[in-house]
Amino acid sequence: MIDLRNIETFFWAAALGSLRAASEKLGTTQPAVSQRIASLEAALGVRLFERDARGVTLTAKGHELLTHAERMMQVRRDMMQAARDQTTMSGMLRIGVAETIVQTWLPKLIEEVHVAYPAIVLEIEVDSSHILQSHLMARQIDLAFLLGPVLEARVENLPLCTYPLAWVVKSSVDLGPGPVPLAEVATLPIITYASNSAPYRQVRDMLMRVGISTPRMYGSASLSMVVRMVLDGIGSAVITPVFLGKELESGELRLLDVEADPLPDLIFMASWIDGPDSYPARIIARMAQQVAARDRIARSQV
């Protein structure tokens, strides 16, 4: 008879690539993990892993059986969730968040999660989408709100919100009457998202297409830093103005009409790795989608 605990151990050893990591995930010892996998291999009559000094790798048959193991674990998870009220969800959920979301509707989501699932503890990491994707794939976080989608195996993506990009400058900076040629804007540094982000690359390419071979660009994962630099008159910025209501209304900052290619929208997704322990991430992602939709409606009515 096949022990479901051994199947779970097989799954995590395959997903994490080592018996040590699987033992830490399951809260047991490495010898216990080895014994469970050996028992499963004996029950199935196949070899699931090749073992060497670097860790474990799946055999061809192991790859084939991994999908069945994942499906069995998901069925067990679904059965357990169906047997109890969803409000009993508990434990820690690690969420990685792009700062644009932090500056808009994340606090409302945290409030709603606390009310609906008081036994869930949220651990929040704020970073660039590039870093968040790498942390998600390394299973260092359970759920990511980032520029997406994440096109990797077993990753689920749920649309959250879309925000326009715009050129923003300190109101006292004189660039002449608009629309302003891009070459004129580039006489000052251009400040935008981190250098490994899609907006940074798109703005850089835009500048190079008009003959600016070495554009002066400052990239930062901190939007508060970007806004501070613009307020200090260091240069213009390419960011979403969705969280700049106060600065734009007070006249400290203004939107700049630039003669250039249209700026693309920022498309944010909730992304998580589908698997037997992904139920909380899926539920919170759906809550985030609803919170983002209400935030969009509220902003459109202002």
Side-chain angles (χ1 to χ4, degrees):
M1 185 174 181
I2 297 176
D3 188 332
L4 194 55
R5 184 179 60 175
N6 296 347
I7 292 175
E8 181 182 26
T9 303
F10 162 54
F11 172 82
W12 284 115
L16 299 175
S18 81
L19 302 185
R20 180 188 58 78
S23 67
E24 292 175 356
K25 173 70 178 180
L26 297 171
T28 187
T29 64
Q30 188 168 330
V33 167
S34 297
Q35 184 178 11
R36 291 178 192 177
I37 292 173
S39 296
L40 182 60
E41 288 178 327
L44 295 172
V46 297
R47 190 170 182 81
L48 299 170
F49 290 105
E50 298 291 350
R51 297 161 175 80
D52 56 36
R54 293 174 296 179
V56 293
T57 55
L58 285 168
T59 62
K61 182 57 70 172
H63 277 289
E64 181 181 345
L65 295 178
L66 180 61
T67 56
H68 295 284
E70 188 170 3
R71 190 157 56 244
M72 291 174 70
M73 292 174 64
Q74 188 63 56
V75 169
R76 182 186 67 173
R77 183 80 181 187
D78 291 344
M79 182 178 179
M80 293 173 65
Q81 291 296 339
R84 65 176 184 260
D85 184 74
Q86 292 180 4
T87 56
T88 61
M89 282 201 310
S90 62
M92 178 178 290
L93 185 70
R94 302 165 300 173
I95 306 179
V97 189
E99 193 180 353
T100 300
I101 305 302
V102 175
Q103 299 282 356
T104 49
W105 47 261
L106 182 67
K108 182 61 177 176
L109 174 64
I110 294 173
E111 178 186 347
E112 293 195 10
V113 171
H114 175 70
V115 171
Y117 304 107
I120 283 187
V121 177
L122 298 181
E123 182 176 284
I124 308 295
E125 171 187 339
V126 181
D127 215 318
S128 67
S129 293
H130 177 79
I131 298 299
L132 294 178
Q133 179 171 337
S134 68
H135 286 185
L136 178 66
M137 298 314 299
R139 298 181 184 270
Q140 295 172 0
I141 55 177
D142 306 301
L143 174 64
F145 301 152
L146 75 176
L147 291 173
V150 177
L151 302 177
E152 297 285 352
R154 301 203 312 277
V155 173
E156 297 287 332
N157 295 283
L158 189 69
L160 293 176
C161 52
T162 300
Y163 296 131
L165 285 173
W167 295 88
V168 180
V169 71
K170 186 177 182 179
S171 294
S172 60
V173 173
D174 185 11
L175 289 171
V180 183
L182 184 57
E184 181 76 14
V185 176
T187 58
L188 294 174
I190 295 174
I191 312 157
T192 189
Y193 300 87
S195 59
N196 55 17
S197 69
Y200 184 101
R201 294 191 298 270
Q202 290 157 347
V203 173
R204 181 198 59 201
D205 293 346
M206 187 184 301
L207 292 166
M208 295 181 72
R209 282 197 299 273
V210 298
I212 304 172
S213 58
T214 55
R216 285 195 297 164
M217 293 183 63
Y218 300 152
S220 174
S222 169
L223 291 183
S224 57
M225 175 64 72
V226 172
V227 174
R228 182 70 263 164
M229 292 172 73
V230 178
L231 287 170
D232 288 344
I234 293 173
S236 62
V238 175
I239 52 175
T240 176
V242 68
F243 61 93
L244 296 178
K246 182 179 68 174
E247 292 83 359
L248 293 172
E249 289 174 13
S250 68
E252 292 178 278
L253 299 178
R254 64 185 175 95
L255 301 181
L256 191 62
D257 184 8
V258 177
E259 288 183 350
D261 297 336
L263 293 168
D265 290 340
L266 300 179
I267 301 174
F268 288 95
M269 312 286 287
S271 302
W272 67 96
I273 298 176
D274 190 32
D277 61 346
S278 64
Y279 183 83
R282 186 182 303 111
I283 294 300
I284 302 307
R286 290 173 181 166
M287 289 183 66
Q289 187 181 52
Q290 295 168 0
V291 170
R294 292 197 299 270
D295 180 76
R296 180 179 65 251
I297 294 171
R299 290 178 186 278
S300 68
Q301 294 173 344
V302 173

Coordinates of all heavy atoms in Angstrom, one line a residue, residues 136-223:
L136 N 10.0 34.0 -6.2 CA 8.8 33.1 -6.3 C 9.3 31.8 -6.9 O 8.9 30.7 -6.3 CB 7.8 33.7 -7.3 CG 6.5 32.9 -7.5 CD1 5.7 32.7 -6.3 CD2 5.7 33.5 -8.7
M137 N 10.1 31.8 -7.9 CA 10.5 30.5 -8.5 C 11.4 29.7 -7.6 O 11.5 28.5 -7.6 CB 11.2 30.8 -9.8 CG 10.4 31.4 -10.9 SD 8.7 30.7 -11.1 CE 9.1 29.0 -11.5
A138 N 12.1 30.4 -6.7 CA 13.0 29.7 -5.7 C 12.1 29.3 -4.4 O 12.7 28.8 -3.4 CB 14.1 30.6 -5.2
R139 N 10.8 29.6 -4.5 CA 9.9 29.3 -3.4 C 10.3 30.0 -2.1 O 10.0 29.5 -1.0 CB 9.8 27.8 -3.1 CG 9.2 27.0 -4.3 CD 9.1 25.5 -4.0 NE 8.7 24.8 -5.2 CZ 7.4 24.6 -5.5 NH1 6.4 25.0 -4.7 NH2 7.1 23.9 -6.6
Q140 N 10.9 31.2 -2.2 CA 11.2 32.0 -1.1 C 10.0 32.9 -0.7 O 9.9 33.4 0.4 CB 12.4 32.9 -1.3 CG 13.7 32.1 -1.5 CD 14.8 33.0 -2.0 OE1 14.7 34.2 -2.2 NE2 16.0 32.4 -2.2
I141 N 9.0 33.0 -1.6 CA 7.7 33.6 -1.3 C 6.7 32.7 -1.9 O 6.9 31.9 -2.8 CB 7.6 35.1 -1.9 CG1 7.9 35.1 -3.4 CG2 8.5 36.0 -1.2 CD1 7.7 36.4 -4.0
D142 N 5.4 32.9 -1.4 CA 4.3 32.0 -1.8 C 3.5 32.7 -2.9 O 2.8 32.0 -3.7 CB 3.5 31.7 -0.6 CG 4.3 31.1 0.5 OD1 4.9 30.0 0.3 OD2 4.3 31.6 1.6
L143 N 3.5 34.0 -2.9 CA 2.6 34.8 -3.8 C 3.3 36.1 -4.2 O 3.9 36.7 -3.3 CB 1.2 35.0 -3.1 CG 0.2 35.9 -3.8 CD1 -0.3 35.3 -5.0 CD2 -1.0 36.2 -2.8
A144 N 3.1 36.5 -5.4 CA 3.8 37.7 -5.9 C 2.8 38.6 -6.6 O 2.0 38.1 -7.4 CB 5.0 37.4 -6.8
F145 N 2.8 39.9 -6.2 CA 2.0 40.9 -7.0 C 3.1 41.7 -7.8 O 3.8 42.5 -7.2 CB 1.3 41.8 -6.0 CG 0.3 41.1 -5.1 CD1 -0.1 41.6 -3.9 CD2 -0.4 40.0 -5.6 CE1 -1.0 41.0 -3.1 CE2 -1.3 39.3 -4.7 CZ -1.6 39.8 -3.5
L146 N 3.1 41.5 -9.1 CA 4.3 42.0 -9.8 C 3.9 42.3 -11.3 O 2.8 41.9 -11.7 CB 5.4 41.0 -9.8 CG 5.4 39.7 -10.6 CD1 6.7 39.0 -10.5 CD2 4.2 38.8 -10.3
L147 N 4.8 42.9 -12.0 CA 4.6 43.1 -13.4 C 4.7 41.7 -14.1 O 5.7 41.0 -13.9 CB 5.6 44.1 -14.0 CG 5.5 45.5 -13.6 CD1 6.7 46.3 -14.1 CD2 4.2 46.1 -14.1
G148 N 3.6 41.3 -14.8 CA 3.6 40.0 -15.3 C 3.1 39.9 -16.7 O 2.9 40.9 -17.4
P149 N 2.7 38.7 -17.1 CA 2.6 37.4 -16.3 C 4.0 36.8 -16.2 O 5.0 37.1 -16.9 CB 1.7 36.6 -17.1 CG 1.9 37.0 -18.5 CD 2.2 38.5 -18.5
V150 N 4.1 35.8 -15.2 CA 5.3 34.9 -15.1 C 5.0 33.7 -15.9 O 4.2 32.9 -15.6 CB 5.5 34.6 -13.6 CG1 6.7 33.6 -13.5 CG2 5.7 35.8 -12.8
L151 N 5.8 33.6 -17.0 CA 5.6 32.5 -17.9 C 6.6 31.3 -17.6 O 7.5 31.1 -18.3 CB 5.8 33.0 -19.4 CG 4.9 34.1 -19.8 CD1 5.2 34.6 -21.2 CD2 3.4 33.7 -19.7
E152 N 6.3 30.6 -16.5 CA 7.1 29.5 -16.1 C 6.1 28.3 -15.8 O 4.9 28.5 -15.5 CB 7.9 29.8 -14.8 CG 8.9 31.0 -15.0 CD 10.1 30.5 -15.7 OE1 10.3 29.3 -16.0 OE2 11.0 31.4 -16.0
A153 N 6.7 27.1 -15.8 CA 5.9 25.9 -15.6 C 5.2 26.0 -14.2 O 5.8 26.3 -13.2 CB 6.8 24.7 -15.7
R154 N 4.0 25.6 -14.2 CA 3.1 25.5 -13.0 C 2.8 26.8 -12.3 O 2.2 26.8 -11.3 CB 3.7 24.5 -12.0 CG 4.0 23.1 -12.5 CD 4.1 22.0 -11.4 NE 4.9 22.4 -10.3 CZ 6.3 22.2 -10.4 NH1 6.8 21.7 -11.4 NH2 7.0 22.6 -9.3
V155 N 3.2 27.9 -12.9 CA 2.9 29.2 -12.3 C 1.5 29.6 -12.8 O 1.2 29.7 -14.0 CB 3.9 30.3 -12.7 CG1 3.5 31.6 -12.2 CG2 5.3 29.9 -12.0
E156 N 0.6 30.0 -11.9 CA -0.7 30.5 -12.2 C -0.6 32.0 -12.1 O 0.0 32.6 -11.2 CB -1.7 30.0 -11.1 CG -1.9 28.5 -11.2 CD -2.7 28.0 -12.4 OE1 -3.5 28.8 -12.9 OE2 -2.5 26.9 -12.8
N157 N -1.3 32.7 -13.0 CA -1.3 34.2 -13.1 C -2.8 34.7 -13.1 O -3.6 34.2 -13.9 CB -0.6 34.7 -14.3 CG 0.9 34.3 -14.4 OD1 1.7 35.0 -13.7 ND2 1.2 33.3 -15.1
L158 N -3.0 35.7 -12.2 CA -4.4 36.2 -12.2 C -4.2 37.8 -12.4 O -3.5 38.4 -11.6 CB -5.0 36.0 -10.8 CG -6.4 36.3 -10.6 CD1 -7.3 35.4 -11.4 CD2 -6.8 36.2 -9.1
P159 N -4.9 38.3 -13.4 CA -4.8 39.8 -13.6 C -5.3 40.6 -12.4 O -6.3 40.3 -11.8 CB -5.7 40.0 -14.8 CG -5.9 38.7 -15.5 CD -5.8 37.7 -14.3
L160 N -4.5 41.6 -12.0 CA -4.9 42.5 -10.9 C -5.4 43.9 -11.4 O -6.5 44.3 -11.1 CB -3.8 42.6 -9.9 CG -3.4 41.3 -9.2 CD1 -2.1 41.6 -8.3 CD2 -4.5 40.8 -8.3
C161 N -4.5 44.6 -12.0 CA -4.7 46.0 -12.4 C -3.8 46.5 -13.4 O -2.7 45.9 -13.6 CB -4.6 46.9 -11.1 SG -3.1 46.7 -10.2
T162 N -4.2 47.5 -14.1 CA -3.3 48.1 -15.2 C -3.3 49.6 -14.9 O -4.3 50.3 -14.7 CB -4.0 47.9 -16.5 OG1 -4.1 46.5 -16.8 CG2 -3.1 48.5 -17.6
Y163 N -2.0 50.1 -14.9 CA -1.8 51.6 -14.7 C -1.0 52.2 -15.8 O -0.1 51.6 -16.3 CB -1.0 51.8 -13.4 CG -1.8 51.3 -12.1 CD1 -1.2 50.5 -11.2 CD2 -3.1 51.7 -11.9 CE1 -1.8 50.1 -10.0 CE2 -3.8 51.3 -10.8 CZ -3.1 50.5 -9.8 OH -3.8 50.1 -8.7
P164 N -1.4 53.4 -16.2 CA -0.6 54.0 -17.3 C 0.7 54.6 -16.8 O 0.8 55.0 -15.6 CB -1.6 55.2 -17.8 CG -2.3 55.5 -16.5 CD -2.5 54.2 -15.8
L165 N 1.7 54.6 -17.7 CA 2.9 55.4 -17.4 C 2.8 56.8 -17.9 O 2.0 57.0 -18.9 CB 4.1 54.7 -18.1 CG 4.6 53.4 -17.5 CD1 5.7 52.8 -18.4 CD2 5.2 53.7 -16.1
A166 N 3.5 57.7 -17.4 CA 3.5 59.1 -17.8 C 4.9 59.7 -17.5 O 5.6 59.3 -16.7 CB 2.4 59.9 -17.1
W167 N 5.1 60.8 -18.2 CA 6.3 61.7 -18.0 C 5.9 62.6 -16.9 O 4.9 63.3 -17.0 CB 6.7 62.4 -19.2 CG 7.3 61.5 -20.3 CD1 6.6 60.9 -21.3 CD2 8.6 61.1 -20.5 NE1 7.4 60.2 -22.1 CE2 8.7 60.3 -21.7 CE3 9.8 61.4 -19.9 CZ2 9.8 59.7 -22.2 CZ3 11.0 60.9 -20.3 CH2 11.0 60.0 -21.5
V168 N 6.7 62.7 -15.8 CA 6.4 63.6 -14.7 C 7.6 64.5 -14.4 O 8.8 64.0 -14.5 CB 6.0 62.8 -13.4 CG1 5.7 63.7 -12.3 CG2 4.9 61.9 -13.7
V169 N 7.4 65.8 -14.1 CA 8.5 66.7 -13.9 C 8.1 67.7 -12.8 O 6.9 67.9 -12.6 CB 8.9 67.4 -15.2 CG1 7.8 68.4 -15.6 CG2 10.3 68.1 -15.1
K170 N 9.1 68.2 -12.1 CA 8.8 69.3 -11.2 C 8.3 70.5 -11.9 O 8.8 70.9 -13.0 CB 10.1 69.6 -10.4 CG 9.9 70.6 -9.3 CD 11.2 70.9 -8.5 CE 11.0 71.9 -7.3 NZ 12.2 72.1 -6.6
S171 N 7.2 71.1 -11.4 CA 6.6 72.2 -12.1 C 7.5 73.3 -12.4 O 7.3 74.0 -13.4 CB 5.4 72.7 -11.3 OG 4.4 71.6 -11.2
S172 N 8.5 73.6 -11.6 CA 9.4 74.7 -11.8 C 10.4 74.5 -12.9 O 11.1 75.4 -13.3 CB 10.0 75.2 -10.5 OG 10.8 74.1 -10.0
V173 N 10.6 73.2 -13.3 CA 11.6 72.9 -14.3 C 11.0 73.4 -15.7 O 9.9 73.0 -16.1 CB 11.8 71.4 -14.4 CG1 12.7 71.1 -15.6 CG2 12.5 70.9 -13.1
D174 N 11.8 74.3 -16.3 CA 11.4 74.9 -17.6 C 11.9 74.1 -18.8 O 13.1 74.2 -19.1 CB 11.8 76.4 -17.6 CG 11.3 77.1 -18.9 OD1 10.4 76.5 -19.5 OD2 11.8 78.2 -19.1
L175 N 11.1 73.4 -19.4 CA 11.4 72.7 -20.7 C 10.8 73.3 -21.9 O 10.7 72.7 -22.9 CB 11.1 71.2 -20.5 CG 12.0 70.4 -19.6 CD1 11.4 69.0 -19.4 CD2 13.4 70.3 -20.1
G176 N 10.3 74.5 -21.7 CA 9.6 75.2 -22.8 C 8.2 74.7 -23.0 O 7.7 73.8 -22.3
P177 N 7.5 75.3 -23.9 CA 6.1 74.9 -24.1 C 6.0 73.5 -24.8 O 6.8 73.2 -25.5 CB 5.5 76.0 -25.1 CG 6.8 76.5 -25.8 CD 7.9 76.4 -24.8
G178 N 5.0 72.8 -24.4 CA 4.8 71.4 -24.9 C 4.1 71.4 -26.2 O 3.6 72.5 -26.7
P179 N 4.1 70.3 -26.9 CA 4.9 69.1 -26.5 C 6.4 69.2 -26.7 O 6.8 69.9 -27.6 CB 4.3 68.0 -27.5 CG 3.8 68.8 -28.7 CD 3.3 70.1 -28.2
V180 N 7.1 68.6 -25.7 CA 8.5 68.8 -25.7 C 9.2 67.7 -26.4 O 8.9 66.5 -26.2 CB 9.0 68.8 -24.2 CG1 10.5 69.0 -24.1 CG2 8.2 69.8 -23.4
P181 N 10.2 68.0 -27.3 CA 10.9 66.9 -28.0 C 11.6 66.0 -27.0 O 12.1 66.5 -26.0 CB 11.9 67.7 -28.9 CG 11.3 69.0 -29.1 CD 10.6 69.3 -27.8
L182 N 11.7 64.7 -27.3 CA 12.4 63.8 -26.4 C 13.8 64.2 -26.2 O 14.3 64.0 -25.0 CB 12.3 62.4 -27.0 CG 12.8 61.2 -26.1 CD1 12.1 61.2 -24.7 CD2 12.6 59.9 -26.8
A183 N 14.5 64.7 -27.2 CA 15.9 65.1 -27.0 C 16.0 66.2 -26.0 O 17.0 66.3 -25.3 CB 16.5 65.5 -28.4
E184 N 15.0 67.1 -26.0 CA 15.0 68.2 -25.0 C 14.9 67.6 -23.6 O 15.5 68.1 -22.6 CB 13.9 69.2 -25.4 CG 13.9 70.4 -24.4 CD 15.0 71.4 -24.7 OE1 15.6 71.3 -25.8 OE2 15.2 72.3 -23.8
V185 N 13.9 66.7 -23.4 CA 13.7 66.1 -22.1 C 15.0 65.4 -21.6 O 15.3 65.4 -20.4 CB 12.5 65.1 -22.2 CG1 12.4 64.4 -20.8 CG2 11.3 65.8 -22.6
A186 N 15.7 64.8 -22.5 CA 16.9 64.0 -22.2 C 18.1 64.9 -21.8 O 19.2 64.3 -21.5 CB 17.3 63.1 -23.3
T187 N 18.0 66.2 -21.9 CA 19.1 67.1 -21.4 C 19.2 67.0 -19.9 O 20.3 67.3 -19.3 CB 18.8 68.5 -21.8 OG1 17.6 69.0 -21.3 CG2 18.8 68.7 -23.3
L188 N 18.2 66.5 -19.2 CA 18.2 66.2 -17.8 C 18.1 64.7 -17.6 O 17.6 64.0 -18.5 CB 17.0 66.9 -17.1 CG 17.0 68.4 -17.0 CD1 15.7 68.9 -16.4 CD2 18.2 69.0 -16.3
P189 N 18.6 64.2 -16.5 CA 18.5 62.8 -16.3 C 17.0 62.3 -16.3 O 16.1 63.1 -15.9 CB 19.1 62.6 -14.9 CG 20.0 63.7 -14.7 CD 19.4 64.9 -15.4
I190 N 16.8 61.1 -16.7 CA 15.5 60.5 -16.7 C 15.5 59.4 -15.6 O 16.3 58.5 -15.6 CB 15.1 59.9 -18.0 CG1 15.0 61.1 -19.0 CG2 13.8 59.2 -18.0 CD1 14.8 60.6 -20.5
I191 N 14.5 59.5 -14.7 CA 14.4 58.6 -13.5 C 13.2 57.7 -13.7 O 12.1 58.2 -14.0 CB 14.3 59.5 -12.2 CG1 15.3 60.6 -12.2 CG2 14.4 58.6 -11.0 CD1 14.9 61.8 -11.3
T192 N 13.4 56.4 -13.5 CA 12.3 55.5 -13.6 C 12.6 54.3 -12.8 O 13.4 54.3 -11.8 CB 12.1 55.1 -15.1 OG1 10.9 54.4 -15.3 CG2 13.3 54.4 -15.7
Y193 N 11.9 53.2 -13.1 CA 12.0 52.0 -12.3 C 13.3 51.4 -12.4 O 14.2 51.8 -13.2 CB 10.9 51.0 -12.8 CG 9.5 51.6 -12.6 CD1 8.9 52.3 -13.6 CD2 8.7 51.3 -11.4 CE1 7.6 52.9 -13.4 CE2 7.5 51.8 -11.3 CZ 6.9 52.6 -12.3 OH 5.6 53.1 -12.1
A194 N 13.6 50.3 -11.7 CA 14.9 49.7 -11.6 C 15.4 49.3 -13.0 O 14.7 49.0 -13.9 CB 14.8 48.4 -10.7
S195 N 16.7 49.2 -13.1 CA 17.4 49.0 -14.4 C 17.1 47.7 -15.0 O 17.3 47.4 -16.2 CB 18.9 49.2 -14.3 OG 19.4 48.3 -13.3
N196 N 16.6 46.7 -14.2 CA 16.2 45.4 -14.7 C 14.7 45.3 -15.0 O 14.2 44.2 -15.3 CB 16.6 44.3 -13.8 CG 16.1 44.5 -12.4 OD1 15.1 45.3 -12.2 ND2 16.6 43.8 -11.4
S197 N 14.0 46.4 -15.0 CA 12.6 46.4 -15.3 C 12.3 46.7 -16.7 O 13.1 47.3 -17.5 CB 11.9 47.5 -14.4 OG 12.3 48.8 -14.8
A198 N 11.1 46.3 -17.1 CA 10.6 46.6 -18.5 C 10.5 48.1 -18.8 O 10.9 48.5 -19.9 CB 9.3 45.8 -18.8
P199 N 9.9 48.9 -17.9 CA 9.9 50.3 -18.2 C 11.2 51.0 -18.4 O 11.4 51.8 -19.3 CB 9.2 50.9 -17.0 CG 8.4 49.8 -16.4 CD 9.2 48.6 -16.7
Y200 N 12.2 50.6 -17.6 CA 13.6 51.1 -17.8 C 14.1 50.8 -19.2 O 14.6 51.7 -19.9 CB 14.5 50.6 -16.8 CG 15.9 51.2 -16.8 CD1 16.3 52.2 -15.9 CD2 16.9 50.7 -17.7 CE1 17.6 52.7 -15.9 CE2 18.1 51.2 -17.8 CZ 18.5 52.2 -16.9 OH 19.8 52.8 -16.9
R201 N 14.0 49.5 -19.6 CA 14.5 49.1 -20.9 C 13.7 49.8 -22.1 O 14.3 50.2 -23.1 CB 14.4 47.6 -21.1 CG 15.3 46.8 -20.1 CD 15.3 45.3 -20.5 NE 14.0 44.7 -20.4 CZ 13.5 44.1 -19.3 NH1 14.3 44.1 -18.2 NH2 12.3 43.6 -19.3
Q202 N 12.4 50.0 -21.9 CA 11.6 50.6 -22.9 C 12.0 52.1 -23.1 O 12.1 52.6 -24.2 CB 10.1 50.4 -22.6 CG 9.6 49.0 -22.8 CD 8.4 48.7 -22.0 OE1 8.0 49.4 -21.1 NE2 7.8 47.5 -22.3
V203 N 12.2 52.8 -22.0 CA 12.6 54.2 -22.1 C 14.0 54.3 -22.7 O 14.2 55.2 -23.6 CB 12.5 54.9 -20.7 CG1 13.1 56.3 -20.8 CG2 11.0 54.9 -20.2
R204 N 14.9 53.5 -22.3 CA 16.2 53.5 -22.8 C 16.2 53.3 -24.3 O 16.9 54.0 -25.1 CB 17.1 52.4 -22.1 CG 18.6 52.4 -22.6 CD 19.2 51.0 -22.2 NE 18.4 49.9 -22.8 CZ 18.5 48.7 -22.3 NH1 19.2 48.4 -21.3 NH2 17.8 47.7 -22.9
D205 N 15.5 52.3 -24.8 CA 15.4 52.0 -26.2 C 14.8 53.2 -27.0 O 15.2 53.5 -28.1 CB 14.6 50.7 -26.5 CG 15.2 49.5 -25.9 OD1 16.5 49.6 -25.6 OD2 14.6 48.4 -25.8
M206 N 13.8 53.8 -26.4 CA 13.1 55.0 -27.0 C 14.2 56.1 -27.2 O 14.2 56.7 -28.2 CB 12.0 55.4 -26.1 CG 11.1 56.5 -26.6 SD 9.9 57.1 -25.4 CE 9.0 55.5 -25.1
L207 N 15.0 56.3 -26.2 CA 16.0 57.4 -26.3 C 17.1 57.0 -27.3 O 17.5 57.9 -28.1 CB 16.7 57.6 -24.9 CG 15.8 58.1 -23.8 CD1 16.4 58.0 -22.5 CD2 15.5 59.6 -24.1
M208 N 17.4 55.8 -27.4 CA 18.5 55.4 -28.3 C 18.0 55.5 -29.8 O 18.7 55.8 -30.7 CB 19.0 54.0 -28.0 CG 19.7 53.9 -26.7 SD 20.3 52.2 -26.3 CE 21.7 52.1 -27.4
R209 N 16.7 55.2 -30.0 CA 16.1 55.3 -31.3 C 16.1 56.8 -31.9 O 16.1 57.0 -33.1 CB 14.7 54.8 -31.3 CG 14.6 53.3 -31.3 CD 13.2 52.8 -31.7 NE 12.1 53.3 -30.9 CZ 11.7 52.6 -29.7 NH1 12.4 51.5 -29.4 NH2 10.8 53.1 -29.0
V210 N 16.2 57.8 -31.0 CA 16.2 59.2 -31.4 C 17.7 59.7 -31.4 O 17.9 60.9 -31.5 CB 15.3 60.1 -30.6 CG1 13.9 59.7 -30.8 CG2 15.7 60.1 -29.2
G211 N 18.6 58.7 -31.3 CA 20.0 59.1 -31.5 C 20.8 59.4 -30.2 O 21.9 59.9 -30.3
I212 N 20.2 59.2 -29.0 CA 20.9 59.4 -27.8 C 21.5 58.1 -27.4 O 20.9 57.2 -26.7 CB 19.9 59.9 -26.7 CG1 19.2 61.2 -27.2 CG2 20.6 60.2 -25.4 CD1 18.0 61.6 -26.3
S213 N 22.8 57.9 -27.7 CA 23.4 56.6 -27.6 C 23.7 56.3 -26.1 O 23.8 55.1 -25.8 CB 24.7 56.5 -28.4 OG 25.6 57.6 -28.0
T214 N 24.0 57.3 -25.3 CA 24.3 57.0 -23.9 C 23.4 57.8 -23.0 O 23.8 58.8 -22.4 CB 25.8 57.3 -23.6 OG1 26.1 58.7 -24.0 CG2 26.7 56.4 -24.3
P215 N 22.1 57.5 -22.9 CA 21.2 58.3 -22.1 C 21.5 58.3 -20.7 O 22.0 57.3 -20.1 CB 19.9 57.6 -22.4 CG 20.2 56.2 -22.8 CD 21.5 56.3 -23.5
R216 N 21.3 59.4 -20.0 CA 21.5 59.5 -18.6 C 20.2 59.1 -17.9 O 19.2 59.8 -17.9 CB 21.8 60.9 -18.1 CG 23.2 61.3 -18.5 CD 23.6 62.6 -17.7 NE 22.8 63.7 -18.1 CZ 22.7 64.9 -17.4 NH1 23.3 65.0 -16.3 NH2 21.9 65.9 -17.9
M217 N 20.2 57.9 -17.3 CA 19.0 57.3 -16.7 C 19.4 56.8 -15.3 O 20.4 56.3 -15.1 CB 18.5 56.2 -17.5 CG 17.9 56.6 -18.8 SD 17.2 55.2 -19.7 CE 15.8 54.7 -18.6
Y218 N 18.5 57.1 -14.3 CA 18.6 56.6 -13.0 C 17.5 55.6 -12.7 O 16.3 56.0 -12.9 CB 18.5 57.8 -12.0 CG 19.6 58.8 -12.1 CD1 19.4 60.1 -11.7 CD2 20.9 58.5 -12.7 CE1 20.4 61.1 -11.8 CE2 21.8 59.5 -12.8 CZ 21.6 60.8 -12.4 OH 22.5 61.8 -12.5
G219 N 17.8 54.4 -12.4 CA 16.8 53.4 -12.1 C 16.7 53.1 -10.6 O 17.8 53.0 -9.9
S220 N 15.5 53.0 -10.1 CA 15.4 52.7 -8.6 C 14.1 51.8 -8.4 O 13.1 52.0 -9.0 CB 15.2 54.0 -7.8 OG 15.0 53.7 -6.5
A221 N 14.3 50.8 -7.5 CA 13.1 50.0 -7.1 C 12.3 50.7 -6.1 O 11.2 50.3 -5.8 CB 13.6 48.7 -6.6
S222 N 12.7 51.8 -5.6 CA 12.0 52.6 -4.6 C 11.3 53.8 -5.3 O 11.9 54.7 -5.7 CB 12.9 53.1 -3.5 OG 12.3 54.1 -2.7
L223 N 10.0 53.7 -5.4 CA 9.2 54.8 -6.0 C 9.3 56.1 -5.2 O 9.2 57.2 -5.7 CB 7.8 54.4 -6.2 CG 7.5 53.3 -7.3 CD1 6.0 53.0 -7.4 CD2 8.1 53.7 -8.6

